[in-house]
Every structure is written in C-alpha cells, then in structure tokens.
Amino acid sequence: MPREVRDINPVRWMAGEVLLIDQTRLPHELLTVNYWNVENLAGAIESMVVRGAPAIGIAAAFGVALSAFKNQAGTDTPILGDIERLRRTRPTAVNLFWALDRMEMILKECVKVSGKARFERLLSEAQAILKEDIAMCQAIGRHGAQWINRGDTVLTHCNAGALATGGWGTALGIIRSAWAEDKDFSVYATETRPRQQGARLTAWELQYSHIPVTLIPDTACGALMKAGKIQRVIVGSDRIAANGDVANKIGTYQLAVLAKHHDIPLIVAAPSSTIDARCPHGSQIPIEYRSELEVLQIGKERITAEGVPALNPAFDVTPAEYVTAIVTEKGVFQYPYKF
Ligand code: MRU
C-alpha cells in the first residue's frame, strides 16, 4: 500500500480572488490570504508571501485573470499595465516571465470577444498553468525517485516543495515520490539564510507529510559531507540556461562545489518552464539582490552593529558541469546538456 503524501495548495482562485498561503507566517500558522487587486498581489510576490519559481509564475497568471475580471468593461490597456507590473516583481525565476508571456498571448487572441469571455479565457489559461505544473512536478517525481536509495540521507536547500510550485514540488517532489514508493530515507534541510526557507518551510512541509527531516545550519554541509553523512543533494532551480547552468537559491553553488569534491551526486529538479532557451549561458541570468535588512536582521531584530552594510544576493549560478543530472517532466538529462 503506497504511503499517502498530504496535499498543500499554495495558490488558488476563488470567486474573483487569488488565494495564497502566506508563506511568511509558516510554520507558526497556515493562513490563507485573499487578493482582489493586482498591486497587492504584486507586493505579495515581492515580499515573498508567495515564492518559489513555479508558484510565482502561477500567482502572476492568476493576477492577469484577476485584472481581466476587474476590467471586463474596458480595453486591454489596464490588463497590459498589470502584466508589466507583475513582470517587475522578481527578476530571476524565469517561470514568472514564461507564465506572463503565455497569458499575454491569450489576451492578444481575445480581440474579438466580450470582456466576460476574455476574463473566462484568461482564467482558464491560469488554471491550465496550475494544473500542468502539478502534473509536471509529479512526472519529475516519478523520473527522479530512482536517485534516492533506501537508507540515504538527502540534502536539500531552500524550499523547492509543494509551497514553491502548484502543489507537489520539484526537489521535494522527487523526495515525496520516493517516499510514496515506500523507500525509507531521511532528509537534511538547510536553514537557508537569510530568509530561512529551509528552516521555516521545507522542515514544516516534510514534517507535514511525515517524511523524516532534520534541520542543519547552512555552514554544516561541508563537514557532514566529509563525515559521509550525505548521499545525495537534490535542489530546485529558478532558471536553467540552455547550456545547463543552473540558477538557484544563494548557497547552491557552494553546495555543488562541495558535492563534487566529495563525489556526491547533485540533482536539479525543475519543470521545463524553468529552462530558458533564450539564455545561452548562466552568466546571462539576472540575479536578484534583496534588501540588506534581510541579512542584518533575524526577523525584526537587528543582529549587526549599526552602520555595518550587508550584501544580499538571493540566487547564484552553478555551472552545468557540477550538476550530475537535471530532472524535468520529460526525463533525466545529463552533461553536456541538450534539452
Ligand atoms: O527566493 P525564493 O524562496 O523564491 O527562492 C526559491 C528557490 O530558490 C527554489 O529553490 C526554486 O525557486 C525552485 S522552486 C521549485
């Protein structure tokens, strides 16, 4: 009897509103917030109420549907303005631009239809993006589960789980699928300073699904690899260049270097919406720099002397040759990458 893994739905549409699980409140409360205006939804993406590459794209797609719902009486102009606003929220995850391009294309096809039909068409496209993402993540899980053996300890970084996607997860999708296949293994989740996605989200999400998880400081990874306590590293991605270079949460590159040094496979899990065919090389991926306060403070408490500046790059790029395999819904790819 396969084990059951519990559902988590971070982004939904209900009766003219976009519903988001507020990821800034986890793990203390599982709270859903309703959005009925695009500016507030854009703010939610910026402040990481919703985060994770596929989830950002899905939320933005519903944002376009929301705009069409509110502008049923008018022209496309305000909807196009809202699409541009959503594009300016976060620069690195390509899924955002992929989803918005797809929504804009549908909008352009709606020239001869009523405002109501335009809204319905856009809502159904956003629903399709959500449904396809869940299906892609489940396929990633099926293809990727072979990388986890009984007894392994798998290290994952940041949160590439149900919360970061339509509801299954990429890296955690592989972990969930292997777990559902009845394999016994355990997971180390890195804290993921400075926003603590590992400590706050991954640890909660795995515990919620009864998958054994232990939280480790980011700084413990090298020592634990050296001690032979980690057999796999499995992470997600925000954008994969055509040559296989992988942008992901800051710290992934140093994990990849350590993994290579210790001969530990590093697996990247991502839907094909994360592959940016227009970006030939990782050096062309725009890296988001966030507020220095995220580094200078823990929560709302300042931990650093006044006047000390901080640098806060949110993502890094791991060269393709450090990546053992990239698992998409289409299967497993290996270096040299040709998608
Ligand atoms: O800044 P975040 O929390 O949006 O960063 C998320 C990540 O880096 C994830 O690993 C990535 O988006 C993959 S999510 C399936």
Side-chain angles (χ1 to χ4, degrees):
M1 174 87 167
R3 290 163 171 160
E4 267 211 49
V5 190
R6 295 173 75 179
D7 271 352
I8 300 170
N9 304 108
V11 187
R12 280 174 295 145
W13 172 271
M14 202 189 281
E17 296 181 356
V18 181
L19 274 53
L20 301 178
I21 291 181
D22 185 345
Q23 301 192 31
T24 65
R25 310 289 301 175
L26 283 168
H28 306 297
E29 53 180 345
L30 180 53
L31 184 79
T32 299
V33 187
N34 300 29
Y35 291 86
W36 55 89
N37 105 33
V38 174
E39 182 51 40
N40 290 350
L41 181 70
I45 296 174
E46 286 164 346
S47 63
M48 296 169 68
V49 167
V50 61
R51 34 65 52 205
I56 294 171
I58 295 161
F62 280 119
V64 180
L66 178 61
S67 180
F69 178 69
K70 301 198 53 154
N71 291 294
Q72 288 181 58
T75 65
D76 288 356
T77 309
I79 307 173
L80 287 165
D82 283 338
I83 291 176
E84 288 320 303
R85 171 69 186 95
L86 289 161
R87 279 189 205 282
R88 289 194 303 274
T89 50
R90 297 193 72 190
T92 302
V94 75
N95 312 62
L96 173 73
F97 307 99
W98 170 87
L100 288 172
D101 287 349
R102 192 164 150 177
M103 295 301 284
E104 196 172 334
M105 217 144 76
I106 299 300
L107 178 64
K108 286 189 176 139
E109 283 170 20
C110 288
V111 268
K112 291 206 176 101
V113 305
S114 67
K116 182 167 180 286
R118 177 178 64 187
F119 154 64
E120 285 168 352
R121 184 71 190 83
L122 286 166
L123 177 60
S124 112
E125 192 68 13
Q127 299 281 25
I129 289 174
L130 169 61
K131 209 167 147 206
E132 286 167 24
D133 183 76
I134 296 173
M136 286 194 286
C137 286
Q138 287 174 339
I140 290 169
R142 283 194 298 278
H143 294 305
Q146 57 173 309
W147 287 96
I148 300 180
N149 298 315
R150 274 172 215 286
D152 279 354
T153 297
V154 178
L155 175 79
T156 189
H157 186 52
C158 192
N159 172 268
L163 287 167
T165 60
W168 184 254
T170 55
L172 294 199
I174 292 181
I175 286 168
R176 283 160 168 265
S177 295
W179 189 252
E181 282 177 11
D182 242 4
K183 285 185 189 164
D184 282 320
F185 59 93
S186 61
V187 180
Y188 281 161
T190 58
E191 282 182 288
T192 323
R193 277 283 290 153
R195 290 293 298 240
Q196 312 278 23
Q197 291 94 328
R200 293 188 305 102
L201 306 177
T202 297
W204 173 82
E205 196 180 316
L206 290 175
Q207 187 193 53
Y208 189 76
S209 290
H210 309 293
I211 300 174
V213 58
T214 301
L215 182 67
I216 60 168
D218 298 319
T219 41
C221 296
L224 290 169
M225 285 185 190
K226 186 161 177 263
K229 299 214 162 138
I230 293 168
Q231 283 71 46
R232 293 284 183 272
V233 180
I234 307 185
V235 295
S237 173
D238 291 82
R239 193 184 297 227
I240 299 174
N243 71 341
D245 289 351
V246 170
N248 192 46
K249 180 53 53 194
I250 191 76
T252 304
Y253 171 58
Q254 61 202 36
L255 278 179
V257 173
L258 281 166
K260 197 175 179 74
H261 180 77
H262 292 288
D263 214 10
I264 297 168
L266 175 114
I267 313 302
V268 173
S272 49
S273 53
T274 303
I275 298 170
D276 186 356
R278 287 178 290 193
C279 178
H281 192 270
S283 60
Q284 283 139 320
I285 297 175
I287 299 295
E288 176 184 13
Y289 277 71
R290 295 184 59 85
S291 161
E292 64 171 6
L293 287 181
E294 291 182 349
V295 180
L296 295 171
Q297 298 179 176
I298 290 190
K300 293 203 164 62
E301 191 185 342
R302 188 168 177 114
I303 51 162
T304 313
E306 289 298 333
V308 175
L311 200 58
N312 188 12
F315 301 95
D316 59 27
V317 176
T318 298
E321 55 270 34
Y322 288 78
V323 179
T324 311
I326 296 178
V327 184
T328 78
E329 75 282 4
K330 295 183 183 145
V332 177
F333 297 82
Q334 290 195 277
Y335 187 80
Y337 291 99
K338 288 204 173 40
F339 300 107

